Amino acid sequence: MSLTVSRPNINNKFRITPKALDIPVRLLLGPGPSNSNPDVVAAMNRQPIGHLDPAYLDLMDEVQAMMRYVWQTENPMTLPISGTGSAAMEATLANAVEPGDVVLVGINGYFGNRLVDMAGRYRADVRSISKPWGEVFSLEELRAAMEEHRPAILALVHAETSTGARQPLEGVGDLCKEYDCLLLIDTVTSMGAVPIFLDEWGVDMAYSCSQKGLSCPPGSSPFTMSERALQKMDKRQTKVANWYLDISLLRNYWGKGRTYHHTAPVNMTYAIREALRLVIEEGLENSWDRHQKTAEQLWDGLAEMGLGCHVPKEYRLPTLTTVKVPDGVDAKAVTSKMLADHNIEIGNGLGELGGKVWRIGLMGYNSQPENVDRVLAAMAKVMAEI
Amino acid sequence: MSLTVSRPNINNKFRITPKALDIPVRLLLGPGPSNSNPDVVAAMNRQPIGHLDPAYLDLMDEVQAMMRYVWQTENPMTLPISGTGSAAMEATLANAVEPGDVVLVGINGYFGNRLVDMAGRYRADVRSISKPWGEVFSLEELRAAMEEHRPAILALVHAETSTGARQPLEGVGDLCKEYDCLLLIDTVTSMGAVPIFLDEWGVDMAYSCSQKGLSCPPGSSPFTMSERALQKMDKRQTKVANWYLDISLLRNYWGKGRTYHHTAPVNMTYAIREALRLVIEEGLENSWDRHQKTAEQLWDGLAEMGLGCHVPKEYRLPTLTTVKVPDGVDAKAVTSKMLADHNIEIGNGLGELGGKVWRIGLMGYNSQPENVDRVLAAMAKVMAEI
């Protein structure tokens, strides 16, 4: 029986005829994605190779080593997750949480709430402490919460993309060790751009993304786990409740065994490898200093325009600035007009800060003085026009 | 207090200095990834735009429509998952399975076993029926198993990448409706290359990948769910036990609400949009016919060399051929030498078929007569040399 004979008629309802790809050129100064370094997107314009090809295995080793450098950790279990930042976020909880574990989450923005949601899906006993969006937790507040909740895992957001606040982490790792607790940190908006010392700070698990400080498209997301965190995973009574993100399987692919788990996003690996190489070429401290300097230029320029920042300077992230929307100004009208008339993307406020702030990102490749000039000039023009 | 003053010393242990990216040019005729169409990888060499940019929202609509065409389904809930094929596989089970649901899996290869593993992690009551690797299930066998197990979900692999067998699906959807069961299908190695009529066949959930029949790098993976499957999801007593893959959230981003869920892998969307556009340009039936014709050329050429196929022609996939390794030949020595001397990747056998077969893929852009000539000539040379 020929296949052709038995075929039903083809349904052409969705046979659209799209035109050639035509992507507008945007300056992405919102909460992310940020623009990529042109060398990074060019790196993807290559044929894939097999995920077990000896040449690919070499790339994997290089990517792992460079992530360790940028995060300042010696954790062997440092690898990119095959998805965007939220997948790496979920990987930390999926692997470390067993049903019933107490997970204490610090909520001072949108991503704290997401950690609560995710941890609950892995059947953690989720507890939380909260601060108004834009504030950070003191070591004393964290100690009091540890004393009350005695968690197995403390989860904090180092760089809250929704608020622009930087959570200081000095001393938190020691506190966690004192309470026999793992420390889990969100570095999505800080990796590569803001000083991070995972080992020095005693961080056990961290995740990030590719499309901010690393100047790479989204789709390959740094993940790391300390020996202490791996020991907890290895004592699990149940399988990790997520196959794709199961580190107990993935470590056999990323480690010496090189056992096939899932097909890697090969061209994204080309991209993040190039992105990490460029951070090393610049030097980590030089990248941090550049981000700080460019941000200060933005803050000074905003002040000259009479615009204030939501977060006190001491805790303000250089990567993401929340700018107070003046009374009577329609925040969304400004962002829409910035995109439509100037091809510049800046972000609206999220959650508690919706309508109250704009979010201006200066991350990775985009952290350059000329971009500060461009965004300030465009904002002045748009605000005069609306 | 300046940040610089309080910084610990930088650990330069992992400050490697990798050379410029230098990827060998391989002809990927294994189980996947396959080579990409050059226009598809070129499409990624662009700056990302925001995942809520109006231009990006248009791309999303186009990708959804084209996936429906290639799969021959009108399911509104058809979208790419932000990961590789295994993530889309897990998305089907994560959303449809509630703890205690009976999930019946047909195991006749490696990926049936993976479905069992994944379903168990979502606390399904997993049952299975098995066939030797390379065989397929008859409608009578499936009916008997449905009668015995009364599953909520029947999961079958349309195109088993580990065996090269094509599972016929005519009549299976009607059987599932008779038993009030959802039909879940793996089309990883068939989408775009082998006739698929999801709606005609009564399939409720399916998943695929980008790097085979669609000639795109891995990292953006087709997923679809019927109205019946969505109804089951909407009646859940518990949240979907996977945040990143939760369709009840993702549908608000892919649907009219356009509510932010996670950052999309933007440049992978450029790539799969171009890949789908090229399938439409060729025409779905023309693509199917090309794959069949190229595969028959391979099978004829293998026969001339005295090499047999593991799967009877009636059920043999055009995309992936399992070739019997002759007695006394070291299968892995041949694949290693094919790669080292000829830059051609073919696959080794997996599981039950380890050492017994080679796996030759002719998928998407690679399904061309000259590639058949190349692989046959290289195999003849290598087998004469070892």
Side-chain angles (χ1 to χ4, degrees):
Chain A
M1 186 181 68
S2 145
L3 277 171
T4 311
V5 173
S6 65
R7 279 183 198 170
N9 288 329
I10 292 276
N11 178 348
N12 283 315
K13 183 170 170 184
F14 293 105
R15 186 175 175 155
I16 60 172
T17 48
K19 56 183 180 4
L21 195 61
D22 180 22
I23 303 297
V25 177
R26 309 289 201 198
L27 179 59
L28 301 175
L29 302 182
S34 189
N35 289 88
S36 296
N37 188 303
D39 291 347
V40 171
V41 285
M44 290 193 292
N45 187 8
R46 283 178 165 79
Q47 284 294 330
I49 53 174
H51 46 275
L52 293 172
D53 189 306
Y56 190 73
L57 303 180
D58 288 344
L59 290 188
M60 291 165 65
D61 289 339
E62 290 171 349
V63 166
Q64 291 185 282
M66 292 191 283
M67 282 183 179
R68 289 183 197 114
Y69 167 68
V70 175
W71 254 336
Q72 290 288 293
T73 178
E74 299 198 5
N75 289 341
M77 196 55 57
T78 302
L79 52 84
I81 293 292
S82 304
T84 63
S86 303
M89 182 179 193
E90 189 152 7
T92 55
L93 292 163
N95 286 282
V97 172
E98 277 206 286
D101 279 349
V102 174
V103 176
L104 175 64
V105 180
I107 306 178
N108 54 350
Y110 187 87
F111 293 92
N113 284 320
R114 180 174 294 179
L115 283 162
V116 168
D117 183 353
M118 282 184 180
R121 291 172 196 245
Y122 292 90
R123 297 193 282 153
D125 176 357
V126 188
R127 317 285 177 87
S128 64
I129 45 173
S130 297
K131 277 275 193 173
W133 287 30
E135 297 187 14
V136 296
F137 297 95
S138 70
L139 206 50
E140 295 67 37
E141 289 165 335
L142 294 173
R143 174 176 290 279
M146 294 290 282
E147 189 60 35
E148 180 184 348
H149 298 290
R150 303 276 168 166
I153 299 167
L154 170 66
L156 295 173
V157 179
H158 179 229
E160 243 302 347
T161 320
S162 64
T163 69
R166 179 186 56 79
Q167 171 65 52
L169 290 166
E170 289 82 359
V172 183
D174 288 340
L175 179 68
C176 286
K177 285 195 183 67
E178 194 183 321
Y179 285 85
D180 195 21
C181 165
L182 297 176
L183 177 58
L184 190 167
I185 298 296
D186 178 325
T187 69
V188 166
T189 301
S190 51
M191 189 183 190
V194 179
I196 302 180
F197 296 89
L198 291 190
D199 286 357
E200 180 78 20
W201 292 345
V203 175
D204 295 294
M205 285 176 285
Y207 56 89
S208 193
C209 72
S210 50
Q211 72 272 10
K212 298 186 180 185
L214 301 182
S215 315
C216 174
S220 177
S221 301
F223 166 94
T224 192
M225 233 174 151
S226 69
E227 290 299 327
R228 285 177 76 218
L230 285 170
Q231 280 165 18
K232 177 164 177 12
M233 184 185 80
D234 286 335
K235 283 187 209 140
R236 295 180 66 97
Q237 301 296 311
T238 56
K239 275 188 187 178
V240 173
N242 186 315
W243 186 90
Y244 190 64
L245 303 175
D246 183 349
I247 296 295
S248 73
L249 299 174
L250 279 164
R251 70 173 155 195
N252 297 324
Y253 175 52
W254 287 88
K256 283 188 186 130
R258 299 303 192 184
T259 310
Y260 164 59
H261 178 253
H262 66 264
T263 300
V266 176
N267 292 52
M268 283 304 313
T269 307
Y270 299 165
I272 199 165
R273 192 264 195 194
E274 179 65 6
L276 290 162
R277 193 187 68 75
L278 289 165
V279 174
I280 287 193
E281 195 171 275
E282 178 175 14
L284 193 48
E285 288 182 292
N286 293 334
S287 175
W288 295 340
D289 291 342
R290 171 170 57 83
H291 281 83
Q292 187 66 28
K293 200 171 156 190
T294 314
E296 290 187 4
Q297 183 193 344
L298 173 70
W299 303 335
D300 291 346
L302 290 167
E304 278 171 33
M305 288 170 64
L307 294 170
C309 293
H310 177 69
V311 177
K313 196 169 173 191
E314 190 181 356
Y315 304 118
R316 199 181 295 162
L317 283 170
T319 41
L320 194 285
T321 300
T322 39
V323 184
K324 287 185 204 165
V325 177
D327 286 342
V329 172
D330 178 348
K332 281 195 180 171
V334 172
T335 52
S336 297
K337 209 167 161 59
M338 291 281 288
L339 191 69
D341 296 357
H342 300 273
N343 277 307
I344 299 178
E345 181 177 274
I346 65 170
N348 290 305
L350 265 183
E352 278 187 21
L353 297 177
K356 296 182 188 163
V357 301
W358 293 296
R359 292 183 293 158
I360 301 181
L362 290 165
M363 312 187 201
Y365 182 71
N366 278 356
S367 171
Q368 300 177 21
E370 52 270 37
N371 289 336
V372 175
D373 295 339
R374 262 186 80 184
V375 72
L376 290 172
M379 281 184 81
K381 196 151 187 288
V382 165
M383 288 177 71
E385 285 165 0
I386 60 165
Chain B
M1 186 181 70
S2 145
L3 276 169
T4 312
V5 174
S6 66
R7 279 183 197 168
N9 288 330
I10 293 277
N11 178 346
N12 282 314
K13 182 170 171 185
F14 293 106
R15 187 176 176 157
I16 60 171
T17 49
K19 56 182 178 6
L21 196 61
D22 181 21
I23 304 297
V25 177
R26 309 289 201 198
L27 179 59
L28 301 175
L29 302 181
S34 188
N35 289 88
S36 296
N37 188 302
D39 291 346
V40 172
V41 286
M44 291 193 292
N45 187 8
R46 282 176 167 80
Q47 283 294 329
I49 53 175
H51 47 276
L52 293 171
D53 190 305
Y56 190 73
L57 303 180
D58 288 344
L59 290 188
M60 290 165 66
D61 289 339
E62 291 170 348
V63 165
Q64 290 186 283
M66 293 192 283
M67 282 183 179
R68 290 185 195 112
Y69 167 68
V70 176
W71 254 336
Q72 289 288 293
T73 178
E74 298 198 4
N75 290 341
M77 196 54 59
T78 303
L79 52 83
I81 293 291
S82 304
T84 63
S86 304
M89 181 179 195
E90 188 151 9
T92 57
L93 292 163
N95 286 282
V97 172
E98 278 206 285
D101 279 349
V102 174
V103 175
L104 176 62
V105 180
I107 305 176
N108 55 350
Y110 187 87
F111 293 92
N113 283 322
R114 181 175 295 181
L115 283 162
V116 168
D117 183 353
M118 282 186 182
R121 290 172 197 245
Y122 292 91
R123 297 193 283 153
D125 175 358
V126 188
R127 317 285 177 89
S128 63
I129 44 173
S130 297
K131 278 274 192 174
W133 287 30
E135 297 187 15
V136 295
F137 297 96
S138 70
L139 206 50
E140 295 68 36
E141 288 165 334
L142 293 173
R143 174 175 289 279
M146 294 290 281
E147 189 59 36
E148 181 184 348
H149 298 290
R150 303 277 170 166
I153 298 167
L154 170 65
L156 295 173
V157 179
H158 179 229
E160 243 302 347
T161 319
S162 64
T163 69
R166 179 185 56 79
Q167 171 65 51
L169 290 166
E170 290 83 357
V172 182
D174 289 340
L175 179 69
C176 285
K177 284 194 184 64
E178 195 183 322
Y179 284 85
D180 194 22
C181 165
L182 297 176
L183 177 57
L184 190 167
I185 298 296
D186 178 325
T187 70
V188 167
T189 300
S190 50
M191 188 182 192
V194 179
I196 303 181
F197 295 90
L198 289 190
D199 285 358
E200 180 78 21
W201 293 344
V203 175
D204 294 294
M205 284 175 286
Y207 56 88
S208 192
C209 72
S210 51
Q211 72 272 11
K212 297 186 181 185
L214 301 182
S215 315
C216 175
S220 177
S221 301
F223 166 93
T224 192
M225 234 173 149
S226 69
E227 291 300 327
R228 285 177 76 218
L230 284 170
Q231 280 164 20
K232 177 165 178 6
M233 184 185 79
D234 286 335
K235 284 187 208 138
R236 295 180 66 96
Q237 301 296 310
T238 54
K239 276 188 186 178
V240 173
N242 186 315
W243 186 91
Y244 190 65
L245 303 175
D246 183 349
I247 295 296
S248 72
L249 300 175
L250 278 165
R251 69 173 155 194
N252 298 324
Y253 175 52
W254 286 88
K256 282 186 187 132
R258 300 302 193 184
T259 311
Y260 163 60
H261 179 254
H262 68 262
T263 300
V266 176
N267 292 52
M268 283 305 311
T269 306
Y270 299 165
I272 199 165
R273 192 263 194 194
E274 179 66 7
L276 290 161
R277 193 188 69 75
L278 290 165
V279 173
I280 287 193
E281 194 171 275
E282 178 175 13
L284 193 49
E285 287 181 292
N286 293 334
S287 176
W288 295 341
D289 291 342
R290 171 170 56 84
H291 281 84
Q292 187 66 29
K293 199 170 157 190
T294 314
E296 289 185 5
Q297 181 193 344
L298 174 70
W299 302 336
D300 292 346
L302 289 168
E304 278 171 34
M305 286 170 64
L307 293 170
C309 293
H310 177 68
V311 177
K313 196 169 174 192
E314 189 180 359
Y315 304 117
R316 200 181 295 162
L317 283 170
T319 41
L320 195 284
T321 300
T322 38
V323 184
K324 288 186 203 165
V325 176
D327 286 342
V329 172
D330 178 348
K332 281 194 180 174
V334 172
T335 53
S336 297
K337 208 167 163 59
M338 291 283 286
L339 190 70
D341 295 357
H342 299 273
N343 276 308
I344 299 177
E345 182 177 275
I346 65 170
N348 291 304
L350 264 184
E352 277 188 19
L353 297 176
K356 295 181 187 162
V357 301
W358 292 296
R359 292 184 293 160
I360 302 181
L362 290 166
M363 311 187 202
Y365 182 72
N366 277 357
S367 171
Q368 299 177 23
E370 52 271 36
N371 289 337
V372 175
D373 294 339
R374 261 187 81 184
V375 71
L376 289 172
M379 281 183 80
K381 197 152 186 286
V382 165
M383 289 177 71
E385 285 165 1
I386 62 164

